[in-house]
Amino acid sequence: MTSETTHPQAATRASWSLEPGGEPRVHVLHENPDWFAPFEAAFRAEGVPFQEVLLTDGSVDLDAEPAAGVYWSRLSASSHTRGHLHAKEFTRSVLAWLEGWGRRVVGGSPVVELEVSKVRQHALLRRSGIDVPRTLAVFGREDLVRRAQELPVPFITKHNQGGKGLGVRRFDSHEEFAAYVTSPEFEEPVDGVTLLQEFLRTSEPFITRAEFVGGRFVYAVRVDTSAGSFELCPADACEVPGTGVEPFVLRPEVTADTPVVRRCAEMLRSAGLEVAGVEFAETSDGRTVVYDVNTNTNYNPAVEAVAPESAPGAIARHLGGLLRAEQFRRPAPGR
């Protein structure tokens, strides 16, 4: 497979190839170069050979053996908002090819299906015994107003294939929601599935995002919600105007031994999720509710500057360890 990038730094990122040959490396499959800089720096700092592969177009010879190495898929559920409508389908095809050849894939096919479906995330969390918000999945538009009556106000909507807070709106009355659904302002989800969800009243105006790498807790971030925004992506490229309050700060009192963190780590390990960010809210009535699993997690530079461990660094070390294990497992050509 070949792919090109028109990113401003394209001179340092030539067209990559997944054809056999060359040094085994970590192949990073993604569609948004704007999010890659921290990982590139981490790979270089750890001395891990890598290459980017943009899944925006290209081709695959399904009968050709993929290049040696470890593959890390970073498909984002919000890829369609950047003009990459078919990145999900491209990724599914490439992963099927890689897995068919027995390549080691981090964020493989089951993880992709989780990334693009909050319904699947909800099911995984509930199956793991984790408290989740009351949620209804509505297919199409016709049943939205009727099913919304089952939720007390306020409630929120969100897109099943989300990311970046896509489709997340708060409604304080059923009449307000009915007017929205029938108006030109209605935001159609890319897969046709809208979620109606309980509004979580937090004891303080923040939620927490816990980051995990290789099944291990790295750190937790306090994300300010005092402005009422649902756009909580921590990457620089996602930054939205704030209120004067630092939107992302390290939360050092949350540790690997915090009950919700421990339970989430167990869930991630059992589901084979090696890199993930999990978001939870501590409600005014004493619940700790997990509502999002992000397998295409990004990291905030202000938090990274003070964190006891760099999350991109942890990823580079984890993938570098997998790469060394693969090189040890696979005999050299001719042996």
Side-chain angles (χ1 to χ4, degrees):
M1 175 177 177
T2 58
S3 180
E4 295 183 356
T5 175
T6 57
H7 188 267
Q9 297 181 19
T12 62
R13 297 176 182 148
S15 298
W16 301 114
S17 172
L18 295 188
E19 298 170 0
E23 178 189 19
R25 62 191 63 206
V26 173
H27 307 268
V28 185
L29 314 179
H30 70 109
E31 51 76 38
N32 186 11
D34 288 340
W35 288 349
F36 190 67
F39 304 108
E40 177 176 353
F43 285 132
R44 295 192 186 283
E46 296 293 330
V48 177
F50 71 95
Q51 69 175 36
E52 288 184 79
V53 182
L54 292 186
L55 293 180
T56 53
D57 56 19
S59 58
V60 171
D61 181 349
L62 299 179
D63 296 311
E65 181 178 2
V70 170
Y71 291 80
W72 177 31
S73 169
R74 279 184 50 77
L75 174 72
S76 169
S78 63
S79 58
H80 60 285
T81 67
R82 290 178 289 278
H84 305 147
L85 180 62
H86 299 297
K88 176 172 64 176
E89 285 70 28
F90 294 166
T91 303
R92 283 171 168 159
S93 298
V94 169
L95 294 183
W97 171 58
L98 295 171
E99 290 162 354
W101 280 93
R103 289 296 183 261
R104 177 65 163 92
V105 180
V106 173
S109 295
V111 178
V112 165
E113 299 310 315
L114 196 73
E115 169 69 16
V116 299
S117 174
K118 293 190 181 298
V119 169
R120 287 179 179 266
Q121 294 171 27
H122 189 277
L124 173 63
L125 290 164
R126 175 174 289 282
R127 188 169 67 247
S128 301
I130 293 171
D131 193 0
V132 290
R134 168 91 165 106
T135 306
L136 296 89
V138 181
F139 316 121
R141 197 189 296 203
E142 293 301 315
D143 215 20
L144 276 169
V145 173
R146 182 180 71 85
R147 295 310 298 263
Q149 297 292 326
E150 300 176 32
L151 292 175
V153 293
F155 62 89
I156 65 171
T157 61
K158 58 177 62 174
H159 288 179
N160 178 53
Q161 183 176 329
K164 301 197 308 182
L166 289 176
V168 183
R169 293 188 179 217
R170 170 177 167 164
F171 294 91
D172 293 313
S173 73
H174 292 106
E175 293 76 18
E176 177 192 3
F177 180 63
Y180 166 69
V181 170
T182 57
S183 76
E185 292 183 13
F186 178 75
E187 189 177 347
E188 194 77 42
V190 69
D191 64 357
V193 182
T194 300
L195 302 185
L196 305 175
Q197 192 168 87
E198 164 193 7
F199 177 73
L200 299 173
R201 297 183 183 276
T202 56
S203 53
E204 296 184 56
F206 70 87
I207 61 91
T208 301
R209 183 182 176 107
E211 303 291 355
F212 300 83
V213 175
R216 180 178 62 83
F217 173 72
V218 180
Y219 57 65
V221 180
R222 174 181 168 134
V223 185
D224 178 69
T225 58
S226 59
S229 173
F230 295 103
E231 297 184 37
L232 307 180
C233 169
D236 263 353
C238 301
E239 187 174 352
V240 296
T243 61
V245 178
E246 183 62 47
F248 303 96
V249 295
L250 189 69
R251 197 175 173 198
E253 74 275 17
V254 176
T255 71
D257 293 324
T258 300
V260 66
V261 171
R262 189 167 59 246
R263 179 162 287 185
C264 286
E266 293 169 357
M267 173 201 70
L268 295 174
R269 286 192 292 267
S270 67
L273 295 172
E274 296 175 73
V275 179
V278 178
E279 294 180 7
F280 63 88
E282 293 156 290
T283 66
S284 55
D285 59 357
R287 298 164 64 197
T288 300
V289 184
V290 181
Y291 62 88
D292 187 54
V293 180
N294 190 332
T295 69
N296 180 52
T297 190
N298 288 294
Y299 307 103
N300 181 261
V303 172
E304 280 284 303
V306 298
E309 178 183 8
S310 165
I315 290 174
R317 289 187 292 276
H318 177 64
L319 294 173
L322 296 179
L323 181 62
R324 288 189 294 274
E326 282 294 296
Q327 291 173 287
F328 179 78
R329 185 174 68 88
R330 292 179 179 272
R335 293 188 181 180

Short mmCIF file of all heavy atoms in Angstrom, two decimals, residues 164-212:
data_model
loop_
_atom_site.label_atom_id
_atom_site.label_comp_id
_atom_site.label_asym_id
_atom_site.label_seq_id
_atom_site.Cartn_x
_atom_site.Cartn_y
_atom_site.Cartn_z
N LYS A 164 -14.62 14.39 19.27
CA LYS A 164 -14.67 15.85 19.25
C LYS A 164 -16.01 16.39 19.73
O LYS A 164 -16.38 17.52 19.39
CB LYS A 164 -14.38 16.41 17.86
CG LYS A 164 -13.04 16.03 17.27
CD LYS A 164 -12.67 16.92 16.11
CE LYS A 164 -13.75 17.02 15.08
NZ LYS A 164 -13.35 17.87 13.91
N GLY A 165 -16.79 15.61 20.44
CA GLY A 165 -18.08 16.09 20.89
C GLY A 165 -19.12 16.17 19.80
O GLY A 165 -20.09 16.95 19.90
N LEU A 166 -18.99 15.34 18.75
CA LEU A 166 -19.91 15.41 17.62
C LEU A 166 -21.35 15.11 18.06
O LEU A 166 -21.62 14.09 18.69
CB LEU A 166 -19.50 14.41 16.54
CG LEU A 166 -18.23 14.74 15.76
CD1 LEU A 166 -17.88 13.61 14.80
CD2 LEU A 166 -18.40 16.05 15.00
N GLY A 167 -22.24 16.01 17.71
CA GLY A 167 -23.65 15.81 17.99
C GLY A 167 -24.05 15.96 19.44
O GLY A 167 -25.21 15.70 19.78
N VAL A 168 -23.12 16.36 20.30
CA VAL A 168 -23.44 16.45 21.73
C VAL A 168 -24.11 17.79 22.01
O VAL A 168 -23.52 18.86 21.83
CB VAL A 168 -22.19 16.27 22.61
CG1 VAL A 168 -22.59 16.30 24.08
CG2 VAL A 168 -21.48 14.97 22.28
N ARG A 169 -25.36 17.71 22.44
CA ARG A 169 -26.14 18.89 22.79
C ARG A 169 -26.96 18.60 24.04
O ARG A 169 -27.40 17.47 24.25
CB ARG A 169 -27.10 19.29 21.66
CG ARG A 169 -26.43 19.76 20.39
CD ARG A 169 -27.47 20.29 19.43
NE ARG A 169 -26.88 20.79 18.21
CZ ARG A 169 -27.32 21.86 17.53
NH1 ARG A 169 -28.35 22.55 18.00
NH2 ARG A 169 -26.74 22.23 16.40
N ARG A 170 -27.17 19.63 24.82
CA ARG A 170 -28.02 19.51 26.01
C ARG A 170 -29.40 20.09 25.69
O ARG A 170 -29.51 21.15 25.05
CB ARG A 170 -27.39 20.26 27.18
CG ARG A 170 -28.31 20.39 28.39
CD ARG A 170 -27.63 21.06 29.55
NE ARG A 170 -28.62 21.46 30.56
CZ ARG A 170 -28.31 21.79 31.81
NH1 ARG A 170 -27.04 21.79 32.20
NH2 ARG A 170 -29.26 22.14 32.67
N PHE A 171 -30.42 19.40 26.17
CA PHE A 171 -31.80 19.88 26.00
C PHE A 171 -32.47 19.94 27.37
O PHE A 171 -32.44 18.97 28.12
CB PHE A 171 -32.56 18.96 25.05
CG PHE A 171 -32.02 18.99 23.65
CD1 PHE A 171 -31.04 18.09 23.25
CD2 PHE A 171 -32.45 19.95 22.76
CE1 PHE A 171 -30.50 18.14 21.97
CE2 PHE A 171 -31.93 20.01 21.46
CZ PHE A 171 -30.95 19.11 21.07
N ASP A 172 -33.07 21.08 27.65
CA ASP A 172 -33.70 21.31 28.94
C ASP A 172 -35.20 21.09 28.93
O ASP A 172 -35.85 21.24 29.98
CB ASP A 172 -33.37 22.72 29.44
CG ASP A 172 -31.88 22.87 29.75
OD1 ASP A 172 -31.33 21.99 30.43
OD2 ASP A 172 -31.28 23.87 29.31
N SER A 173 -35.75 20.77 27.77
CA SER A 173 -37.17 20.42 27.69
C SER A 173 -37.39 19.52 26.49
O SER A 173 -36.63 19.56 25.52
CB SER A 173 -38.06 21.67 27.57
OG SER A 173 -37.95 22.23 26.28
N HIS A 174 -38.44 18.70 26.57
CA HIS A 174 -38.75 17.83 25.44
C HIS A 174 -39.27 18.65 24.26
O HIS A 174 -39.06 18.27 23.10
CB HIS A 174 -39.79 16.79 25.87
CG HIS A 174 -39.24 15.80 26.86
ND1 HIS A 174 -39.58 15.83 28.19
CD2 HIS A 174 -38.37 14.78 26.72
CE1 HIS A 174 -38.95 14.86 28.82
NE2 HIS A 174 -38.20 14.20 27.96
N GLU A 175 -39.90 19.78 24.53
CA GLU A 175 -40.38 20.64 23.46
C GLU A 175 -39.21 21.23 22.67
O GLU A 175 -39.25 21.32 21.44
CB GLU A 175 -41.25 21.76 24.03
CG GLU A 175 -42.56 21.29 24.64
CD GLU A 175 -42.40 20.63 26.00
OE1 GLU A 175 -41.33 20.82 26.64
OE2 GLU A 175 -43.34 19.93 26.43
N GLU A 176 -38.18 21.64 23.40
CA GLU A 176 -36.97 22.16 22.75
C GLU A 176 -36.36 21.11 21.84
O GLU A 176 -35.94 21.40 20.72
CB GLU A 176 -35.97 22.60 23.82
CG GLU A 176 -34.64 23.09 23.28
CD GLU A 176 -33.58 23.24 24.36
OE1 GLU A 176 -33.85 22.91 25.54
OE2 GLU A 176 -32.45 23.66 24.00
N PHE A 177 -36.32 19.88 22.33
CA PHE A 177 -35.73 18.80 21.53
C PHE A 177 -36.58 18.53 20.29
O PHE A 177 -36.04 18.34 19.19
CB PHE A 177 -35.60 17.54 22.37
CG PHE A 177 -35.01 16.38 21.63
CD1 PHE A 177 -33.72 16.43 21.13
CD2 PHE A 177 -35.76 15.23 21.40
CE1 PHE A 177 -33.16 15.36 20.44
CE2 PHE A 177 -35.23 14.15 20.72
CZ PHE A 177 -33.93 14.22 20.23
N ALA A 178 -37.89 18.47 20.44
CA ALA A 178 -38.76 18.21 19.30
C ALA A 178 -38.59 19.27 18.22
O ALA A 178 -38.56 18.96 17.01
CB ALA A 178 -40.22 18.15 19.76
N ALA A 179 -38.45 20.53 18.64
CA ALA A 179 -38.24 21.60 17.67
C ALA A 179 -36.91 21.43 16.94
O ALA A 179 -36.81 21.67 15.73
CB ALA A 179 -38.30 22.96 18.37
N TYR A 180 -35.89 20.99 17.67
CA TYR A 180 -34.57 20.78 17.07
C TYR A 180 -34.62 19.65 16.04
O TYR A 180 -34.09 19.77 14.93
CB TYR A 180 -33.55 20.46 18.17
CG TYR A 180 -32.25 19.90 17.66
CD1 TYR A 180 -31.36 20.68 16.94
CD2 TYR A 180 -31.91 18.56 17.91
CE1 TYR A 180 -30.16 20.16 16.46
CE2 TYR A 180 -30.71 18.03 17.45
CZ TYR A 180 -29.85 18.84 16.72
OH TYR A 180 -28.67 18.31 16.26
N VAL A 181 -35.26 18.55 16.39
CA VAL A 181 -35.28 17.38 15.51
C VAL A 181 -35.94 17.71 14.17
O VAL A 181 -35.53 17.20 13.12
CB VAL A 181 -36.00 16.21 16.20
CG1 VAL A 181 -36.25 15.06 15.22
CG2 VAL A 181 -35.18 15.71 17.39
N THR A 182 -36.95 18.56 14.19
CA THR A 182 -37.69 18.88 12.97
C THR A 182 -37.13 20.11 12.25
O THR A 182 -37.70 20.55 11.25
CB THR A 182 -39.17 19.11 13.29
OG1 THR A 182 -39.29 20.14 14.28
CG2 THR A 182 -39.80 17.82 13.81
N SER A 183 -36.03 20.66 12.76
CA SER A 183 -35.48 21.89 12.19
C SER A 183 -34.31 21.59 11.26
O SER A 183 -33.71 20.51 11.31
CB SER A 183 -35.00 22.82 13.30
OG SER A 183 -33.76 22.37 13.84
N PRO A 184 -33.93 22.56 10.42
CA PRO A 184 -32.74 22.39 9.57
C PRO A 184 -31.45 22.29 10.37
O PRO A 184 -30.42 21.90 9.82
CB PRO A 184 -32.75 23.65 8.69
CG PRO A 184 -34.15 24.18 8.76
CD PRO A 184 -34.65 23.81 10.12
N GLU A 185 -31.49 22.68 11.64
CA GLU A 185 -30.29 22.62 12.48
C GLU A 185 -29.94 21.21 12.92
O GLU A 185 -28.83 20.98 13.43
CB GLU A 185 -30.48 23.49 13.73
CG GLU A 185 -30.55 24.98 13.46
CD GLU A 185 -30.66 25.77 14.74
OE1 GLU A 185 -30.43 25.18 15.83
OE2 GLU A 185 -30.96 26.98 14.67
N PHE A 186 -30.85 20.27 12.74
CA PHE A 186 -30.59 18.91 13.20
C PHE A 186 -29.32 18.37 12.55
O PHE A 186 -29.14 18.43 11.34
CB PHE A 186 -31.76 17.99 12.87
CG PHE A 186 -31.53 16.56 13.28
CD1 PHE A 186 -31.60 16.19 14.61
CD2 PHE A 186 -31.23 15.59 12.34
CE1 PHE A 186 -31.38 14.87 15.00
CE2 PHE A 186 -31.01 14.28 12.70
CZ PHE A 186 -31.08 13.92 14.04
N GLU A 187 -28.44 17.86 13.39
CA GLU A 187 -27.14 17.36 12.93
C GLU A 187 -27.23 15.85 12.68
O GLU A 187 -27.31 15.06 13.63
CB GLU A 187 -26.07 17.67 13.97
CG GLU A 187 -24.66 17.39 13.52
CD GLU A 187 -23.62 17.78 14.57
OE1 GLU A 187 -23.99 18.48 15.54
OE2 GLU A 187 -22.47 17.35 14.42
N GLU A 188 -27.24 15.47 11.43
CA GLU A 188 -27.39 14.06 11.06
C GLU A 188 -26.10 13.31 11.37
O GLU A 188 -25.03 13.68 10.91
CB GLU A 188 -27.70 13.94 9.57
CG GLU A 188 -28.21 12.59 9.14
CD GLU A 188 -29.66 12.36 9.49
OE1 GLU A 188 -30.48 13.28 9.32
OE2 GLU A 188 -29.97 11.23 9.96
N PRO A 189 -26.16 12.22 12.14
CA PRO A 189 -24.94 11.44 12.41
C PRO A 189 -24.51 10.69 11.15
O PRO A 189 -25.34 10.29 10.32
CB PRO A 189 -25.38 10.47 13.51
CG PRO A 189 -26.86 10.40 13.42
CD PRO A 189 -27.33 11.71 12.86
N VAL A 190 -23.21 10.48 11.01
CA VAL A 190 -22.68 9.90 9.78
C VAL A 190 -23.15 8.47 9.58
O VAL A 190 -23.28 8.01 8.44
CB VAL A 190 -21.13 9.98 9.78
CG1 VAL A 190 -20.53 9.05 10.82
CG2 VAL A 190 -20.56 9.68 8.39
N ASP A 191 -23.44 7.75 10.68
CA ASP A 191 -23.92 6.37 10.54
C ASP A 191 -25.41 6.24 10.79
O ASP A 191 -25.96 5.15 10.84
CB ASP A 191 -23.15 5.43 11.48
CG ASP A 191 -23.36 5.76 12.96
OD1 ASP A 191 -24.06 6.75 13.26
OD2 ASP A 191 -22.84 5.02 13.81
N GLY A 192 -26.10 7.38 10.97
CA GLY A 192 -27.54 7.37 11.16
C GLY A 192 -28.01 7.03 12.56
O GLY A 192 -29.21 6.93 12.80
N VAL A 193 -27.08 6.89 13.52
CA VAL A 193 -27.45 6.48 14.87
C VAL A 193 -27.21 7.64 15.84
O VAL A 193 -26.08 8.10 16.01
CB VAL A 193 -26.64 5.24 15.33
CG1 VAL A 193 -27.10 4.80 16.72
CG2 VAL A 193 -26.79 4.10 14.33
N THR A 194 -28.29 8.09 16.48
CA THR A 194 -28.22 9.14 17.49
C THR A 194 -28.43 8.52 18.86
O THR A 194 -29.32 7.68 19.03
CB THR A 194 -29.30 10.21 17.25
OG1 THR A 194 -29.10 10.81 15.96
CG2 THR A 194 -29.24 11.29 18.32
N LEU A 195 -27.63 8.91 19.83
CA LEU A 195 -27.81 8.46 21.20
C LEU A 195 -28.52 9.54 22.00
O LEU A 195 -28.20 10.72 21.90
CB LEU A 195 -26.47 8.15 21.84
CG LEU A 195 -25.59 7.11 21.16
CD1 LEU A 195 -24.36 6.82 22.00
CD2 LEU A 195 -26.35 5.82 20.88
N LEU A 196 -29.49 9.11 22.79
CA LEU A 196 -30.15 9.95 23.79
C LEU A 196 -29.62 9.48 25.13
O LEU A 196 -29.69 8.29 25.44
CB LEU A 196 -31.66 9.79 23.73
CG LEU A 196 -32.32 10.05 22.37
CD1 LEU A 196 -33.80 9.73 22.43
CD2 LEU A 196 -32.11 11.50 21.95
N GLN A 197 -29.12 10.41 25.93
CA GLN A 197 -28.40 9.98 27.13
C GLN A 197 -28.71 10.87 28.33
O GLN A 197 -28.88 12.08 28.21
CB GLN A 197 -26.89 9.99 26.86
CG GLN A 197 -26.05 9.30 27.89
CD GLN A 197 -24.62 9.11 27.39
OE1 GLN A 197 -23.78 10.00 27.55
NE2 GLN A 197 -24.34 7.96 26.79
N GLU A 198 -28.76 10.22 29.46
CA GLU A 198 -28.89 10.89 30.75
C GLU A 198 -27.84 11.99 30.90
O GLU A 198 -26.66 11.78 30.58
CB GLU A 198 -28.71 9.83 31.84
CG GLU A 198 -28.43 10.33 33.22
CD GLU A 198 -27.97 9.23 34.17
OE1 GLU A 198 -27.73 8.08 33.72
OE2 GLU A 198 -27.83 9.53 35.37
N PHE A 199 -28.25 13.15 31.37
CA PHE A 199 -27.31 14.22 31.66
C PHE A 199 -26.72 13.99 33.05
O PHE A 199 -27.46 13.85 34.03
CB PHE A 199 -28.01 15.59 31.61
CG PHE A 199 -27.11 16.74 31.97
CD1 PHE A 199 -26.14 17.17 31.09
CD2 PHE A 199 -27.24 17.37 33.19
CE1 PHE A 199 -25.31 18.24 31.41
CE2 PHE A 199 -26.42 18.43 33.53
CZ PHE A 199 -25.45 18.87 32.64
N LEU A 200 -25.41 13.95 33.12
CA LEU A 200 -24.72 13.69 34.39
C LEU A 200 -24.41 15.01 35.09
O LEU A 200 -23.64 15.83 34.58
CB LEU A 200 -23.43 12.91 34.14
CG LEU A 200 -23.60 11.53 33.48
CD1 LEU A 200 -22.24 10.93 33.11
CD2 LEU A 200 -24.37 10.59 34.39
N ARG A 201 -25.01 15.20 36.25
CA ARG A 201 -24.73 16.41 37.04
C ARG A 201 -23.52 16.13 37.93
O ARG A 201 -23.59 15.31 38.84
CB ARG A 201 -25.94 16.77 37.90
CG ARG A 201 -27.18 17.12 37.10
CD ARG A 201 -28.32 17.54 38.00
NE ARG A 201 -29.54 17.81 37.28
CZ ARG A 201 -29.84 18.97 36.69
NH1 ARG A 201 -28.97 19.98 36.76
NH2 ARG A 201 -30.99 19.13 36.06
N THR A 202 -22.42 16.78 37.63
CA THR A 202 -21.20 16.54 38.39
C THR A 202 -21.17 17.36 39.66
O THR A 202 -21.76 18.45 39.74
CB THR A 202 -19.96 16.86 37.54
OG1 THR A 202 -20.05 18.20 37.07
CG2 THR A 202 -19.88 15.91 36.34
N SER A 203 -20.47 16.84 40.67
CA SER A 203 -20.37 17.55 41.94
C SER A 203 -19.54 18.82 41.80
O SER A 203 -19.74 19.79 42.52
CB SER A 203 -19.75 16.63 43.00
OG SER A 203 -18.53 16.08 42.55
N GLU A 204 -18.59 18.82 40.85
CA GLU A 204 -17.81 20.00 40.50
C GLU A 204 -17.74 20.06 38.98
O GLU A 204 -17.89 19.02 38.31
CB GLU A 204 -16.41 19.93 41.10
CG GLU A 204 -16.37 19.96 42.62
CD GLU A 204 -14.95 20.00 43.15
OE1 GLU A 204 -14.19 20.91 42.77
OE2 GLU A 204 -14.61 19.10 43.93
N PRO A 205 -17.47 21.24 38.40
CA PRO A 205 -17.53 21.38 36.94
C PRO A 205 -16.30 20.83 36.21
O PRO A 205 -15.52 21.57 35.61
CB PRO A 205 -17.67 22.90 36.74
CG PRO A 205 -16.95 23.48 37.90
CD PRO A 205 -17.23 22.55 39.06
N PHE A 206 -16.13 19.52 36.28
CA PHE A 206 -15.07 18.88 35.52
C PHE A 206 -15.40 17.41 35.34
O PHE A 206 -16.21 16.83 36.07
CB PHE A 206 -13.70 19.04 36.20
CG PHE A 206 -13.54 18.26 37.49
CD1 PHE A 206 -13.12 16.93 37.47
CD2 PHE A 206 -13.81 18.85 38.71
CE1 PHE A 206 -12.97 16.21 38.65
CE2 PHE A 206 -13.66 18.13 39.90
CZ PHE A 206 -13.25 16.81 39.87
N ILE A 207 -14.76 16.82 34.33
CA ILE A 207 -14.76 15.37 34.18
C ILE A 207 -13.30 14.93 34.24
O ILE A 207 -12.38 15.77 34.23
CB ILE A 207 -15.44 14.90 32.87
CG1 ILE A 207 -14.73 15.47 31.63
CG2 ILE A 207 -16.91 15.31 32.91
CD1 ILE A 207 -13.64 14.61 31.05
N THR A 208 -13.07 13.62 34.29
CA THR A 208 -11.71 13.10 34.38
C THR A 208 -11.46 12.15 33.22
O THR A 208 -12.31 11.33 32.87
CB THR A 208 -11.49 12.36 35.71
OG1 THR A 208 -11.73 13.28 36.78
CG2 THR A 208 -10.07 11.82 35.81
N ARG A 209 -10.29 12.30 32.65
CA ARG A 209 -9.85 11.43 31.56
C ARG A 209 -8.64 10.66 32.05
O ARG A 209 -7.60 11.25 32.39
CB ARG A 209 -9.51 12.27 30.33
CG ARG A 209 -9.12 11.47 29.09
CD ARG A 209 -8.77 12.45 27.98
NE ARG A 209 -8.30 11.79 26.79
CZ ARG A 209 -9.01 11.69 25.66
NH1 ARG A 209 -10.22 12.22 25.59
NH2 ARG A 209 -8.52 11.07 24.61
N ALA A 210 -8.76 9.34 32.12
CA ALA A 210 -7.66 8.48 32.56
C ALA A 210 -7.00 7.84 31.35
O ALA A 210 -7.69 7.28 30.49
CB ALA A 210 -8.18 7.40 33.51
N GLU A 211 -5.68 7.93 31.29
CA GLU A 211 -4.94 7.42 30.14
C GLU A 211 -4.24 6.10 30.48
O GLU A 211 -3.64 5.97 31.56
CB GLU A 211 -3.89 8.45 29.68
CG GLU A 211 -4.47 9.81 29.32
CD GLU A 211 -5.32 9.80 28.06
OE1 GLU A 211 -5.40 8.75 27.38
OE2 GLU A 211 -5.90 10.86 27.75
N PHE A 212 -4.31 5.16 29.53
CA PHE A 212 -3.74 3.84 29.72
C PHE A 212 -2.89 3.47 28.51
O PHE A 212 -3.26 3.76 27.37
CB PHE A 212 -4.84 2.78 29.88
CG PHE A 212 -5.75 3.00 31.05
CD1 PHE A 212 -6.82 3.88 30.98
CD2 PHE A 212 -5.54 2.33 32.25
CE1 PHE A 212 -7.67 4.09 32.06
CE2 PHE A 212 -6.38 2.52 33.34
CZ PHE A 212 -7.44 3.40 33.24
#
